[in-house]
Amino acid sequence: MATFIVAAVLAVALFFALRHIYRNFHEGKSDCCGASECSGSCCGCHSVPEKK
Amino acid sequence: MATIAVALTGNPNTGKSTIFNELTGARQKIGNWPGVTVDKKVGYARHQDRAISIVDLPGTYSINARSPEEKIVIDYLMNNKLDLVMDVVDSSNIERNLFLTVQLLEKGIPLLIDLNMADDAERRGIKIDCRKLEDALGMPVVQTVGRSSKSARKLLDIFTSTVMSNYEPSQLVKDHIIKVQEIEASGKTESEKQEEIIEARYALIDTVIAQAVTMSNVGQTKSEKIDRFLANGVLALPIFLAIMYGVFMITFEWIGQPIADALDSLINEDFLDFATDALTDAGVAEWLVSLVCDGIIGGVGAVLTFVPLIFVLFFCLSFLDGTGYMARIAFIMDPIMRRCGLTGKGIMPLMMGFGCGVPAIMGARALDSEKDRMVSILVTPFLTCGAKLPIMALFAAMFFPDNAANVVFAMYISGVIMAIIAAKGLGSSIFKDKGSTFLLELPPYRMPDMKSVLLETWDKGKGYLVKAGTIIFAASVLLWVLSNYNFDGPCEIDESILAVLGGWMSNLFVFHGFATWESGAALLSGIMAKETVVATIGVLYGAADVSTEAADAVESAGQMMQTGMATSFTALSALAFMVFSQLYTPCVTALGTIKKEAGGWKWMAFSAVYMFVIAWVVSLLVYQIGRLLGF
Amino acid sequence: MTLKEGKTGMTLKIKQIDDSSLKERLMTMGLTPGTKVKVLRAAPLGDPIAISVRSYNLALRRADAENVTVEQVG
């Protein structure tokens, strides 16, 4: 029983982790600078304009 | 009542973002401007029962619509119905700051002029008479001192008032606008017109300054005195190195490491024991106990141990960034970068590479020439990013316990040197074209706004935590499966699938001193994310039986890892392993970014292969030369 | 002379800016004819240089400074 519960919890956690990875991959995002946002004068996290 | 729409505009380095943070606090949303990847920051505030939305426009020197940022500013201001546009002006640098102000006034945009850092200016002997400036421009003027809640309240009071409706441009400004229109209508060439208009703007600014500003020349500013040491002549370079060394001592010796050690024993001893006992007592099957304890706690725990180091390092870098020293680094490094065919400005994305290669690669977009961009993209991954830091810290602590910080510092320097050599190589072979330019404001030194520094540290460090909970977690589970099973079912670890894969990989390192399947597997998994190298080591050596006789190995690194690891490496082969992990193929996320930024699979594949080859060669040299020297 | 030959401590007055890809940016940053600039210091090996113009500091390379004709006023 305990085995089942722990395994289920792990499976759910793994599902969310994989979903997060998949979504990041899909949207071309990276976790390096925080999941999505970055405030202050955070250099590099906010992308810089393309010089054309 | 309707929401009041406010937009903030101004030059870079005026403290605009600090004001924005002060006004809105944490109520911010960051999105993208349509079509371009420039951050769009919108914040919200409430004042006197009115809702206020504030847009922080990108900082620009002008609105000639040459760069996407300038285009965003002018498009946004022209096409949106705004209740108020606030132009943030650095009081101590009012002349050049007013250039943008004048340009905005030419477009017929009414402005609230915010003379920020008024205290700074006063100390430098620049006295601005607000009333006279209001008269000269015809626009309301307010003084603020950057990070102070009093300033924020003052601004919110103005936002909610109807002050803007009472102002219209002064006669001086109206005359200027007519003059600009005349120049536009004349039959001269475009560049002649531009030149004349720019001169007319500065002529207007000179008139305004003469009326409203008194400058008692106070000689050298504090920044200049500091710059005589930090950005002057050859001495600036050793000082730069010393400052960076200080950052490493703080991270790996004084503050970061002690916390990391405490966390290590907490996770890898106390929590692990607790979890093992709890699960066993609850009657959980043995394989699942092993998965949770050896696999997940071993893997994720090994990575989490280094969180304090990451946060301390990011804090130091964010702090340095906030002081204005980064611009000096660009200045003093330009001679070296130029000789590699690059620009000193390229050092800024490179410095970001110490945090994470991904934003650093994206940051290369700010560079002026195509060559600068490409070279910067291709050499950035050589640097020791936050995810490689645990590898360095772990190996240094285990095999060089007396010199850990110095060894890690040496690894960081070797990454920088490799990046410079590679830049030189790429610059003189694949990307041969004209040189680059370098034009950079050296903003005054300032004490960074702690709130912004902490926010930034948290934002960057948070990513590391998220990765530990997602990709490292998933990778640990995968690694545990691969290391406990083969195609026939459960098996001993050295017959597992991982052992086979790692063994195959380790064939490449026969002459490097670390041809074990464990290190092969660790390096292979590192392509997913560099932290996984440490996670793999945690899973593999954590799973091995800990025998008590090796307990004397090291104290600082994870207890679990001591036995197996200490016998698999010598100090020299550990160093070779560190060098290899430092330089080899970047993680998949970085590779994806390279593909996007450099434009194609070709560059991605090139980067993956050439970095692997360089890492292989350099690491081989380290090991073989080290052996010849008798280590 | 041109700004390229500027030595540390010299105060120079800009006479003219020659056409180059950088001209408009230089002028936008405040380097207009008649403006006084002061050469503050040089990076290691003497290039780039930092100048004070319109009460702020700007760094530029000597190669780009060559396009700025100046006369020494102090």
Side-chain angles (χ1 to χ4, degrees):
Chain A
M1 185 57 190
T3 304
F4 179 76
I5 295 171
V6 174
V9 169
L10 269 188
V12 171
L14 198 59
F15 167 75
F16 279 106
L18 289 174
R19 196 181 63 166
H20 177 89
I21 298 167
Y22 173 76
R23 285 192 176 165
N24 261 5
F25 179 77
H26 199 68
E27 289 160 30
K29 278 197 307 197
S30 145
D31 283 323
C32 296
C33 293
S36 60
E37 51 201 65
C38 171
S39 44
S41 62
C42 175
C43 66
C45 296
H46 51 160
S47 4
V48 203
E50 278 163 81
K51 276 264 168 163
K52 280 282 134 69
Chain B
M1 275 192 283
T3 305
I4 302 172
V6 176
L8 304 188
T9 169
N11 282 190
N13 307 315
T14 52
K16 188 163 65 70
S17 292
T18 308
I19 288 192
F20 178 71
N21 286 342
E22 197 64 57
L23 285 171
T24 61
R27 288 150 301 185
Q28 300 184 4
K29 250 198 221 145
I30 288 117
N32 267 346
W33 295 95
V36 280
T37 39
V38 179
D39 270 3
K40 178 180 184 176
K41 290 202 269 178
V42 190
Y44 303 93
R46 278 201 80 83
H47 189 68
Q48 293 173 352
D49 286 329
R50 296 291 306 267
I52 307 170
S53 78
I54 304 168
V55 175
D56 187 20
L57 293 168
T60 58
Y61 292 113
S62 65
I63 42 165
N64 299 329
R66 291 283 145 80
S67 72
E69 281 159 315
E70 295 185 356
K71 208 166 144 37
I72 286 167
V73 173
I74 191 63
D75 283 352
Y76 189 82
L77 293 179
M78 298 304 282
N79 300 331
N80 286 277
K81 234 188 89 51
L82 295 163
D83 296 292
L84 193 144
V85 179
M86 182 164 91
D87 177 28
V88 183
V89 166
D90 176 1
S91 308
S92 54
N93 181 2
I94 184 168
E95 286 179 71
R96 200 211 56 222
N97 272 257
L98 281 181
F99 187 87
L100 176 69
T101 313
V102 170
Q103 251 190 323
L104 291 169
L105 290 177
E106 281 170 23
K107 298 277 181 197
I109 300 166
L111 299 170
L112 168 66
I113 295 164
D114 171 23
L115 296 175
N116 196 24
M117 320 220 197
D119 45 344
D120 262 17
E122 205 130 317
R123 245 173 281 139
R124 287 186 57 184
I126 299 170
K127 273 193 78 165
I128 304 171
D129 187 325
C130 289
R131 293 307 309 267
K132 284 184 183 157
L133 189 62
E134 282 187 4
D135 291 343
L137 292 172
M139 292 294 147
V141 174
V142 58
Q143 277 189 323
T144 55
V145 289
R147 65 195 107 91
S148 101
S149 47
K150 221 169 113 194
S151 292
R153 253 199 318 280
K154 190 152 104 184
L155 291 175
L156 289 172
D157 277 338
I158 298 175
F159 292 172
T160 44
S161 72
T162 53
V163 74
M164 287 316 290
S165 50
N166 304 326
Y167 286 86
E168 63 168 82
S170 64
Q171 197 55 45
L172 202 60
V173 172
K174 282 180 185 158
D175 290 346
H176 169 76
I177 293 173
I178 294 168
K179 194 170 165 195
V180 169
Q181 281 163 350
E182 278 168 5
I183 297 172
E184 291 278 14
S186 68
K188 292 174 181 152
T189 67
E190 199 51 43
S191 77
E192 276 172 341
K193 281 187 209 167
Q194 277 309 318
E195 193 179 335
E196 272 188 48
I197 293 174
I198 293 174
E199 284 190 53
R201 283 177 194 144
Y202 272 114
L204 172 68
I205 291 168
D206 288 340
T207 317
V208 171
I209 297 283
Q211 286 180 17
V213 183
T214 43
M215 297 195 199
S216 45
N217 219 333
V218 285
Q220 281 186 326
T221 62
K222 218 190 318 167
S223 288
E224 246 139 79
K225 279 180 199 148
I226 300 174
D227 265 349
R228 280 170 67 190
F229 296 99
L230 294 189
N232 195 15
V234 182
L235 205 60
L237 289 172
I239 293 177
F240 168 48
L241 272 185
I243 290 175
M244 292 318 287
Y245 186 70
V247 168
F248 284 94
M249 289 309 278
I250 291 172
T251 309
F252 294 99
E253 201 76 57
W254 297 332
I255 299 179
Q257 192 66 55
I259 307 175
D261 288 345
L263 191 66
D264 181 32
S265 70
L266 197 71
I267 295 175
N268 290 322
E269 288 164 35
D270 302 345
F271 181 67
L272 187 68
D273 292 347
F274 165 78
T276 314
D277 293 347
L279 289 175
T280 314
D281 290 350
V284 173
E286 203 183 321
W287 65 270
L288 195 54
V289 178
S290 167
L291 170 59
V292 172
C293 297
D294 303 334
I296 296 168
I297 300 178
V300 177
V303 171
L304 281 183
T305 306
F306 297 96
V307 166
L309 294 185
I310 303 274
F311 273 83
V312 173
L313 181 69
F314 284 179
F315 177 85
C316 293
L317 291 179
S318 302
F319 184 89
L320 272 188
D321 192 23
T323 58
Y325 185 57
M326 288 292 182
R328 273 68 181 189
I329 297 177
F331 178 65
I332 61 173
M333 288 299 283
D334 186 62
I336 295 168
M337 302 290 277
R338 190 177 55 233
R339 279 167 179 79
C340 304
L342 292 176
T343 158
K345 268 192 209 175
I347 205 80
M348 295 200 210
L350 283 184
M351 295 289 292
M352 285 172 215
F354 288 142
C356 172
V358 171
I361 292 165
M362 294 200 288
R365 284 185 209 164
L367 301 177
D368 295 328
S369 78
E370 177 70 10
K371 175 188 168 188
D372 286 351
R373 250 168 36 76
M374 289 300 295
V375 173
S376 184
I377 289 169
L378 290 175
V379 306
T380 301
F382 280 126
L383 299 175
T384 320
C385 69
K388 288 184 200 164
L389 178 151
I391 309 176
M392 304 305 150
L394 173 68
F395 276 79
M398 286 215 53
F399 296 99
F400 307 93
D402 301 330
N403 276 315
N406 290 332
V407 168
V408 175
F409 187 62
M411 292 311 299
Y412 272 75
I413 296 294
S414 76
V416 174
I417 292 173
M418 199 57 237
I420 289 176
I421 294 173
K424 179 74 184 162
L426 290 169
S428 53
S429 56
I430 304 178
F431 304 102
K432 264 193 271 180
D433 67 353
K434 63 183 166 52
S436 41
T437 60
F438 179 75
L439 192 66
L440 184 70
E441 181 185 359
L442 300 174
Y445 287 104
R446 293 210 167 94
M447 192 60 197
D449 174 28
M450 270 305 147
K451 201 163 151 189
S452 300
V453 171
L454 288 173
L455 266 174
E456 193 178 319
T457 307
W458 169 243
D459 274 331
K460 287 183 180 167
K462 191 175 64 182
Y464 191 80
L465 290 173
V466 173
K467 270 165 94 184
T470 55
I471 191 159
I472 304 301
F473 168 62
S476 298
V477 173
L478 180 68
L479 284 167
W480 180 85
V481 172
L482 290 180
S483 65
N484 281 277
Y485 293 86
N486 60 22
F487 294 111
D488 302 326
C491 66
E492 285 302 306
I493 195 162
D494 43 11
E495 286 163 13
S496 64
I497 300 174
L498 192 64
V500 174
L501 290 174
W504 172 78
M505 182 84 176
S506 68
N507 286 331
L508 291 167
F509 305 111
V510 178
F511 303 108
H512 291 61
F514 51 86
T516 59
W517 70 264
E518 287 94 342
S519 47
L523 290 171
L524 196 61
S525 67
I527 311 256
M528 267 191 281
K530 297 287 167 171
E531 297 99 323
T532 327
V533 172
V534 169
T536 308
I537 287 170
V539 171
L540 294 183
Y541 293 117
D545 289 326
V546 184
S547 66
T548 40
E549 55 227 82
D552 60 327
V554 212
E555 325 149 78
S556 45
Q559 295 285 327
M560 296 291 296
M561 300 169 197
Q562 286 177 14
T563 346
M565 219 179 137
T567 51
S568 298
F569 292 93
T570 62
L572 181 61
S573 70
L575 193 68
F577 185 87
M578 286 163 82
V579 169
F580 188 84
S581 347
Q582 163 88 319
L583 303 177
Y584 84 119
T585 309
C587 67
V588 278
T589 322
L591 283 173
T593 315
I594 292 173
K595 174 182 162 278
K596 216 164 61 191
E597 296 296 318
W601 293 100
K602 199 183 83 178
W603 287 117
M604 188 184 109
F606 174 78
S607 143
V609 172
Y610 103 98
M611 290 189 64
F612 191 94
V613 170
I614 287 182
W616 193 86
V617 171
V618 176
S619 165
L620 181 71
L621 288 177
V622 167
Y623 186 67
Q624 294 300 340
I625 292 174
R627 264 183 19 147
L628 284 178
L629 295 176
F631 288 105
Chain C
M1 70 186 282
T2 68
L3 185 55
K4 184 189 178 184
E5 293 127 44
K7 301 251 178 337
T8 304
M10 278 185 183
T11 304
L12 306 160
K13 192 169 169 184
I14 296 173
K15 284 165 75 179
Q16 190 203 322
I17 300 187
D18 296 337
D19 275 323
S20 75
S21 55
L22 221 55
K23 180 177 181 178
E24 204 183 307
R25 273 176 71 198
L26 286 172
M27 288 187 72
T28 300
M29 296 302 274
L31 296 168
T32 51
T35 310
K36 279 186 198 159
V37 303
K38 189 176 173 199
V39 182
L40 294 174
R41 73 188 73 81
L45 308 173
D47 188 13
I49 53 172
I51 60 170
S52 156
V53 51
R54 296 186 186 270
S55 61
Y56 80 99
N57 297 348
L58 183 70
L60 75 168
R61 284 187 184 161
R62 290 194 191 268
D64 297 322
E66 194 174 12
N67 294 316
V68 183
T69 313
V70 292
E71 62 181 351
Q72 194 172 351
V73 292

mmCIF file of all heavy atoms in Angstrom, chain B residues 7-11 14 16 55-60 63 73 77 85-89 100 104 111:
data_model
loop_
_atom_site.group_PDB
_atom_site.id
_atom_site.type_symbol
_atom_site.label_atom_id
_atom_site.label_comp_id
_atom_site.label_asym_id
_atom_site.label_seq_id
_atom_site.Cartn_x
_atom_site.Cartn_y
_atom_site.Cartn_z
ATOM 1 N N ALA B 7 3.459 56.187 -18.943
ATOM 2 C CA ALA B 7 4.617 55.546 -19.560
ATOM 3 C C ALA B 7 5.877 56.233 -19.061
ATOM 4 O O ALA B 7 5.917 57.451 -18.925
ATOM 5 C CB ALA B 7 4.528 55.636 -21.081
ATOM 6 N N LEU B 8 6.907 55.423 -18.758
ATOM 7 C CA LEU B 8 8.199 55.974 -18.351
ATOM 8 C C LEU B 8 9.171 55.871 -19.513
ATOM 9 O O LEU B 8 9.303 54.829 -20.133
ATOM 10 C CB LEU B 8 8.789 55.203 -17.170
ATOM 11 C CG LEU B 8 7.984 55.063 -15.889
ATOM 12 C CD1 LEU B 8 8.850 54.427 -14.809
ATOM 13 C CD2 LEU B 8 7.470 56.408 -15.419
ATOM 14 N N THR B 9 9.844 56.990 -19.781
ATOM 15 C CA THR B 9 10.857 56.953 -20.823
ATOM 16 C C THR B 9 12.094 57.663 -20.301
ATOM 17 O O THR B 9 12.048 58.316 -19.262
ATOM 18 C CB THR B 9 10.324 57.603 -22.126
ATOM 19 O OG1 THR B 9 11.394 57.776 -23.025
ATOM 20 C CG2 THR B 9 9.709 58.953 -21.849
ATOM 21 N N GLY B 10 13.211 57.506 -21.001
ATOM 22 C CA GLY B 10 14.440 58.142 -20.545
ATOM 23 C C GLY B 10 15.665 57.436 -21.092
ATOM 24 O O GLY B 10 15.548 56.394 -21.729
ATOM 25 N N ASN B 11 16.835 58.013 -20.827
ATOM 26 C CA ASN B 11 18.102 57.418 -21.258
ATOM 27 C C ASN B 11 18.415 56.182 -20.419
ATOM 28 O O ASN B 11 17.842 56.005 -19.345
ATOM 29 C CB ASN B 11 19.242 58.423 -21.035
ATOM 30 C CG ASN B 11 19.294 59.498 -22.103
ATOM 31 O OD1 ASN B 11 20.237 60.261 -22.174
ATOM 32 N ND2 ASN B 11 18.267 59.586 -22.935
ATOM 33 N N THR B 14 19.638 56.063 -15.946
ATOM 34 C CA THR B 14 19.063 57.208 -15.259
ATOM 35 C C THR B 14 18.355 56.799 -13.973
ATOM 36 O O THR B 14 17.813 57.637 -13.279
ATOM 37 C CB THR B 14 18.018 57.924 -16.134
ATOM 38 O OG1 THR B 14 17.092 56.952 -16.588
ATOM 39 C CG2 THR B 14 18.648 58.626 -17.295
ATOM 40 N N LYS B 16 15.809 54.786 -14.043
ATOM 41 C CA LYS B 16 14.410 54.644 -14.434
ATOM 42 C C LYS B 16 13.806 53.338 -13.895
ATOM 43 O O LYS B 16 12.695 53.340 -13.366
ATOM 44 C CB LYS B 16 14.327 54.677 -15.970
ATOM 45 C CG LYS B 16 12.931 54.720 -16.536
ATOM 46 C CD LYS B 16 12.961 55.156 -17.990
ATOM 47 C CE LYS B 16 13.670 54.162 -18.900
ATOM 48 N NZ LYS B 16 12.902 52.919 -19.084
ATOM 49 N N VAL B 55 3.957 51.708 -17.735
ATOM 50 C CA VAL B 55 4.781 50.964 -18.681
ATOM 51 C C VAL B 55 6.196 51.513 -18.617
ATOM 52 O O VAL B 55 6.404 52.718 -18.695
ATOM 53 C CB VAL B 55 4.235 51.107 -20.118
ATOM 54 C CG1 VAL B 55 5.173 50.431 -21.111
ATOM 55 C CG2 VAL B 55 2.861 50.499 -20.219
ATOM 56 N N ASP B 56 7.159 50.612 -18.420
ATOM 57 C CA ASP B 56 8.561 51.019 -18.399
ATOM 58 C C ASP B 56 9.132 50.809 -19.802
ATOM 59 O O ASP B 56 9.439 49.694 -20.200
ATOM 60 C CB ASP B 56 9.310 50.158 -17.372
ATOM 61 C CG ASP B 56 10.737 50.640 -17.170
ATOM 62 O OD1 ASP B 56 11.025 51.806 -17.503
ATOM 63 O OD2 ASP B 56 11.559 49.853 -16.669
ATOM 64 N N LEU B 57 9.257 51.893 -20.561
ATOM 65 C CA LEU B 57 9.772 51.771 -21.929
ATOM 66 C C LEU B 57 11.283 51.540 -21.888
ATOM 67 O O LEU B 57 11.940 51.935 -20.935
ATOM 68 C CB LEU B 57 9.448 53.034 -22.724
ATOM 69 C CG LEU B 57 7.958 53.256 -22.993
ATOM 70 C CD1 LEU B 57 7.710 54.658 -23.527
ATOM 71 C CD2 LEU B 57 7.437 52.232 -23.986
ATOM 72 N N PRO B 58 11.845 50.912 -22.927
ATOM 73 C CA PRO B 58 13.289 50.671 -22.928
ATOM 74 C C PRO B 58 14.064 51.993 -22.856
ATOM 75 O O PRO B 58 13.628 52.990 -23.425
ATOM 76 C CB PRO B 58 13.539 49.981 -24.273
ATOM 77 C CG PRO B 58 12.225 49.551 -24.779
ATOM 78 C CD PRO B 58 11.188 50.393 -24.131
ATOM 79 N N GLY B 59 15.187 51.984 -22.157
ATOM 80 C CA GLY B 59 16.013 53.178 -22.075
ATOM 81 C C GLY B 59 16.738 53.437 -23.392
ATOM 82 O O GLY B 59 17.382 52.542 -23.923
ATOM 83 N N THR B 60 16.596 54.646 -23.926
ATOM 84 C CA THR B 60 17.250 54.965 -25.199
ATOM 85 C C THR B 60 17.851 56.361 -25.137
ATOM 86 O O THR B 60 17.415 57.194 -24.363
ATOM 87 C CB THR B 60 16.249 54.949 -26.374
ATOM 88 O OG1 THR B 60 15.208 55.885 -26.085
ATOM 89 C CG2 THR B 60 15.642 53.586 -26.580
ATOM 90 N N ILE B 63 15.304 58.883 -30.263
ATOM 91 C CA ILE B 63 14.229 58.109 -30.882
ATOM 92 C C ILE B 63 14.312 58.249 -32.393
ATOM 93 O O ILE B 63 13.369 58.630 -33.067
ATOM 94 C CB ILE B 63 12.826 58.535 -30.375
ATOM 95 C CG1 ILE B 63 12.740 60.063 -30.274
ATOM 96 C CG2 ILE B 63 12.485 57.869 -29.076
ATOM 97 C CD1 ILE B 63 11.337 60.578 -30.152
ATOM 98 N N VAL B 73 9.798 52.712 -28.457
ATOM 99 C CA VAL B 73 9.486 53.895 -27.660
ATOM 100 C C VAL B 73 8.608 54.842 -28.464
ATOM 101 O O VAL B 73 7.533 55.257 -28.008
ATOM 102 C CB VAL B 73 10.781 54.611 -27.218
ATOM 103 C CG1 VAL B 73 10.453 55.924 -26.531
ATOM 104 C CG2 VAL B 73 11.580 53.717 -26.278
ATOM 105 N N LEU B 77 4.580 55.607 -27.841
ATOM 106 C CA LEU B 77 4.151 56.933 -27.413
ATOM 107 C C LEU B 77 3.211 57.581 -28.430
ATOM 108 O O LEU B 77 2.297 58.320 -28.072
ATOM 109 C CB LEU B 77 5.367 57.834 -27.177
ATOM 110 C CG LEU B 77 6.247 57.429 -25.996
ATOM 111 C CD1 LEU B 77 7.432 58.359 -25.866
ATOM 112 C CD2 LEU B 77 5.451 57.412 -24.694
ATOM 113 N N VAL B 85 3.136 60.954 -19.763
ATOM 114 C CA VAL B 85 4.422 60.378 -20.122
ATOM 115 C C VAL B 85 5.471 61.030 -19.242
ATOM 116 O O VAL B 85 5.586 62.253 -19.208
ATOM 117 C CB VAL B 85 4.763 60.633 -21.606
ATOM 118 C CG1 VAL B 85 6.125 60.031 -21.938
ATOM 119 C CG2 VAL B 85 3.694 60.065 -22.509
ATOM 120 N N MET B 86 6.189 60.216 -18.492
ATOM 121 C CA MET B 86 7.228 60.780 -17.636
ATOM 122 C C MET B 86 8.600 60.489 -18.229
ATOM 123 O O MET B 86 8.932 59.346 -18.535
ATOM 124 C CB MET B 86 7.143 60.210 -16.219
ATOM 125 C CG MET B 86 8.181 60.825 -15.302
ATOM 126 S SD MET B 86 7.845 60.548 -13.561
ATOM 127 C CE MET B 86 8.731 59.042 -13.269
ATOM 128 N N ASP B 87 9.365 61.546 -18.401
ATOM 129 C CA ASP B 87 10.703 61.429 -18.952
ATOM 130 C C ASP B 87 11.685 61.501 -17.790
ATOM 131 O O ASP B 87 11.828 62.537 -17.145
ATOM 132 C CB ASP B 87 10.927 62.585 -19.940
ATOM 133 C CG ASP B 87 12.326 62.581 -20.516
ATOM 134 O OD1 ASP B 87 12.920 61.501 -20.607
ATOM 135 O OD2 ASP B 87 12.816 63.666 -20.878
ATOM 136 N N VAL B 88 12.334 60.387 -17.497
ATOM 137 C CA VAL B 88 13.269 60.355 -16.371
ATOM 138 C C VAL B 88 14.630 60.859 -16.834
ATOM 139 O O VAL B 88 15.216 60.335 -17.781
ATOM 140 C CB VAL B 88 13.410 58.928 -15.797
ATOM 141 C CG1 VAL B 88 14.333 58.937 -14.584
ATOM 142 C CG2 VAL B 88 12.054 58.382 -15.419
ATOM 143 N N VAL B 89 15.094 61.915 -16.172
ATOM 144 C CA VAL B 89 16.336 62.575 -16.562
ATOM 145 C C VAL B 89 17.331 62.442 -15.418
ATOM 146 O O VAL B 89 16.983 62.666 -14.262
ATOM 147 C CB VAL B 89 16.050 64.067 -16.855
ATOM 148 C CG1 VAL B 89 17.330 64.861 -16.937
ATOM 149 C CG2 VAL B 89 15.242 64.210 -18.141
ATOM 150 N N LEU B 100 16.873 63.589 -25.614
ATOM 151 C CA LEU B 100 15.682 62.768 -25.819
ATOM 152 C C LEU B 100 14.426 63.581 -25.494
ATOM 153 O O LEU B 100 13.430 63.511 -26.212
ATOM 154 C CB LEU B 100 15.756 61.516 -24.941
ATOM 155 C CG LEU B 100 14.539 60.593 -24.968
ATOM 156 C CD1 LEU B 100 14.415 59.913 -26.319
ATOM 157 C CD2 LEU B 100 14.622 59.545 -23.870
ATOM 158 N N LEU B 104 11.309 64.268 -27.964
ATOM 159 C CA LEU B 104 9.928 63.907 -27.641
ATOM 160 C C LEU B 104 9.011 65.122 -27.769
ATOM 161 O O LEU B 104 7.885 65.022 -28.271
ATOM 162 C CB LEU B 104 9.841 63.328 -26.228
ATOM 163 C CG LEU B 104 10.497 61.957 -26.021
ATOM 164 C CD1 LEU B 104 10.590 61.614 -24.548
ATOM 165 C CD2 LEU B 104 9.732 60.874 -26.765
ATOM 166 N N LEU B 111 5.202 66.113 -21.649
ATOM 167 C CA LEU B 111 6.023 65.311 -20.762
ATOM 168 C C LEU B 111 5.990 65.821 -19.334
ATOM 169 O O LEU B 111 5.935 67.029 -19.107
ATOM 170 C CB LEU B 111 7.496 65.356 -21.214
ATOM 171 C CG LEU B 111 7.850 64.830 -22.583
ATOM 172 C CD1 LEU B 111 9.289 65.196 -22.900
ATOM 173 C CD2 LEU B 111 7.657 63.337 -22.657
#
